Amino acid sequence: MLKRIIKGLDAIILLLLLIFMIISIFCIYSATRTVPDFSQSYIKMMYFYGLGFVVLFSMLFVNYKLLLRFSPLYYFIGLGLLVLLFFKGNTLNNAQGWFTLPGGISFQPAELCKLILILFLSYFLSRREVETLSLFKEILPMGVITLVPFLLVLMQPDLGNSIGYLVIFIVVCWFGHINYKHALIGLVIIIIVSGSSLYSYIKYHEEVKQFMASKHKAYWLDRVDAVLLPDQASEKATYHMKQSVKAIGSGSLEGDGYLHGTSVQSGQVPYTYSDSIFVVVGEEFGFIGASVLLILYFLLIYRMITIALNIRSQTGIYIIGGITAMFLFQVFENIGMLIGIMPITGITLPFISYGGTSLLINMISIGFVLSIKIYDDIDVEDRNHSLINHVK
């Protein structure tokens, strides 16, 4: 087994993770060194990465097909955690989406449920008998499976992660060979709903604003207004985005230099150690540093797609496709919100932002990708039989 694991390891992916770790630790240190309450965050991130690598390598000894069998159970556990948040969850940045674990560690179930959704949708598709997705037998049930956690997370409210669920659903359906007619119908519906919603939001903005204020949810609109209606948005609503754009722009080509970013070091941009960590890269390392980081993400996605193209398991392709979509959306949303093209949400930059839950889920996701590569040609029954023979 050890020979198979060593042979199946992807040196490029492991190297990329090490590079991400170095970038993350240095950026977190720069963002928090002048903030006493968070000055040890980079050390905690080292521990998170150490635990993440332990979990990743542990997964290499387990056939992903065995883990996939329990995906329905994972799904209902995940839903249970999302529901429990409304009774026992802690509120951070106006979102009731965290549990506080022993030792003061925060756990965000919405991050975990993204991976759980990928596994459950892949498991659901693996049991079908036809090649093209059926509207009533596959697409609609998968839509319901996605809609439940989507609504629970949206109610926290956590717009970033909830949209991530929809992206995962769409990509898994695409990898599952959705009928082009159904895909076109879905695209038309999305365009009509999005267009009419945007028109109604702008036309009846004051009415919507008054209604949300009566429900004590006015801050929901602040993040949307900062992108769609910046002229009408309050200074508080646009502050985060404006400061982020200003800081990234000031980095110019080469950046202001490590530990010399004016906005970062003076604390003008909120949450530079977590959601806004790309500002550290943009201001202190400039366009060149930001481009290098994007190239690293491209290489990671490229390697995962390469693995998907070289395996025989269709279920493995679904899982890798979902994980790839999850990473791509997080990178696009996180960077997009800091350069003014997406609403500000509490979504992290994969492998770079401070956060134990996000990092561990991402490392587990990579563990699944590598497990798929290692055990692609072995069924669970075959592996159990070989283990019995080995014991004998």
Side-chain angles (χ1 to χ4, degrees):
M1 181 193 299
L2 188 58
K3 290 182 179 180
R4 170 178 285 273
I5 292 174
I6 294 175
K7 184 179 179 180
L9 284 176
D10 193 298
I12 294 180
I13 288 182
L14 295 179
L15 177 61
L16 288 171
L17 293 180
L18 289 173
I19 295 174
F20 284 139
M21 179 183 70
I22 294 171
I23 294 174
S24 174
I25 292 171
F26 274 87
C27 287
I28 291 173
Y29 174 76
S30 177
T32 60
R33 70 189 188 99
T34 59
V35 185
D37 292 342
F38 297 96
S39 60
Q40 300 300 307
S41 296
Y42 75 100
I43 297 179
K44 293 180 180 179
M45 197 63 177
M46 292 181 186
Y47 293 142
F48 290 144
Y49 254 107
L51 178 59
F53 275 111
V54 170
V55 172
L56 188 156
F57 283 113
S58 297
M59 290 191 62
L60 304 184
F61 291 89
V62 182
N63 191 329
Y64 78 97
K65 297 170 187 175
L66 178 62
L67 297 174
L68 194 64
R69 287 181 168 182
F70 300 97
S71 56
L73 176 61
Y74 307 152
Y75 178 76
F76 288 106
I77 292 175
L79 293 185
L81 291 174
L82 292 178
V83 172
L84 187 61
L85 281 170
F86 294 102
F87 302 96
K88 299 291 184 179
N90 295 326
T91 300
L92 181 63
N93 299 333
N94 295 318
Q96 191 173 348
W98 281 262
F99 290 121
T100 300
L101 303 180
I105 300 175
S106 295
F107 168 62
Q108 188 178 13
E111 292 281 356
L112 175 63
C113 286
K114 284 188 289 188
L115 179 58
I116 289 176
L117 179 63
I118 293 170
L119 296 178
F120 191 33
L121 292 179
S122 300
Y123 172 82
F124 184 86
L125 285 181
S126 70
R127 303 171 65 83
R128 64 180 176 153
E129 299 178 354
V130 295
E131 183 176 349
T132 304
L133 293 183
S134 167
L135 178 61
F136 295 101
K137 292 183 178 180
E138 280 102 24
I139 297 178
L140 290 182
M142 290 170 61
V144 174
I145 290 171
T146 305
L147 185 63
V148 176
F150 166 80
L151 292 176
L152 289 174
V153 173
L154 186 64
M155 289 168 61
Q156 292 179 5
D158 185 346
L159 179 63
N161 280 315
S162 60
I163 295 177
Y165 294 141
L166 299 182
V167 173
I168 289 170
F169 166 71
I170 292 172
V171 172
V172 172
C173 283
W174 181 262
F175 277 89
H177 304 294
I178 188 173
N179 187 297
Y180 288 120
K181 180 177 67 176
H182 295 155
L184 181 60
I185 293 174
L187 180 61
V188 171
I189 292 175
I190 291 174
I191 292 174
I192 293 175
V193 172
S194 300
S196 58
S197 298
L198 179 61
Y199 173 79
S200 300
Y201 180 81
I202 295 175
K203 183 175 179 61
Y204 302 103
H205 182 262
E206 286 302 319
E207 290 83 349
V208 174
K209 189 174 183 179
Q210 292 176 8
F211 173 78
M212 297 300 288
S214 67
K215 301 296 182 180
H216 306 289
K217 302 292 184 182
Y219 56 86
W220 281 36
L221 304 185
D222 289 342
R223 296 177 177 181
V224 178
D225 286 350
V227 177
L228 298 181
L229 302 169
D231 295 335
Q232 299 183 33
S234 65
E235 183 177 348
K236 179 181 178 181
T238 59
Y239 176 81
H240 192 165
M241 185 178 295
K242 286 181 177 179
Q243 292 300 319
S244 299
V245 172
K246 176 184 175 182
I248 294 173
S250 69
S252 190
L253 181 63
E254 299 180 351
D256 296 338
Y258 184 57
L259 304 181
H260 291 89
T262 303
S263 298
V264 172
Q265 301 304 319
S266 62
Q268 296 180 30
V269 181
Y271 310 113
T272 49
Y273 63 97
S274 57
D275 301 344
S276 305
I277 201 165
F278 185 75
V279 173
V280 180
V281 179
E283 185 176 41
E284 299 191 348
F285 299 97
F287 177 79
I288 294 176
S291 298
V292 169
L293 180 59
L294 290 177
I295 290 173
L296 293 175
Y297 280 124
F298 170 80
L299 291 175
L300 177 65
I301 299 302
Y302 170 77
R303 288 305 303 169
M304 291 196 296
I305 292 176
T306 300
I307 292 173
L309 292 175
N310 288 279
I311 60 176
R312 67 172 189 173
S313 170
Q314 191 64 39
T315 306
I317 294 175
Y318 302 149
I319 297 174
I320 295 177
I323 292 173
T324 301
M326 179 177 71
F327 287 156
L328 279 175
F329 172 74
Q330 286 188 221
V331 172
F332 175 77
E333 166 60 27
N334 182 275
I335 296 177
M337 71 182 187
L338 298 175
I339 61 176
I341 63 174
M342 295 292 286
I344 295 290
T345 63
I347 203 164
T348 57
L349 189 61
F351 303 105
I352 306 297
S353 295
Y354 175 82
T357 304
S358 175
L359 179 62
L360 288 178
I361 297 305
N362 291 338
M363 296 294 272
I364 292 173
S365 299
I366 295 297
F368 267 102
V369 173
L370 296 181
S371 179
I372 290 170
K373 181 183 179 184
I374 293 170
Y375 299 105
D376 177 55
D377 59 342
I378 296 181
D379 293 330
V380 175
E381 291 77 7
D382 294 339
R383 181 172 180 269
N384 290 338
H385 182 70
S386 63
L387 287 174
I388 293 173
N389 290 337
H390 179 71
V391 172
K392 290 180 178 179

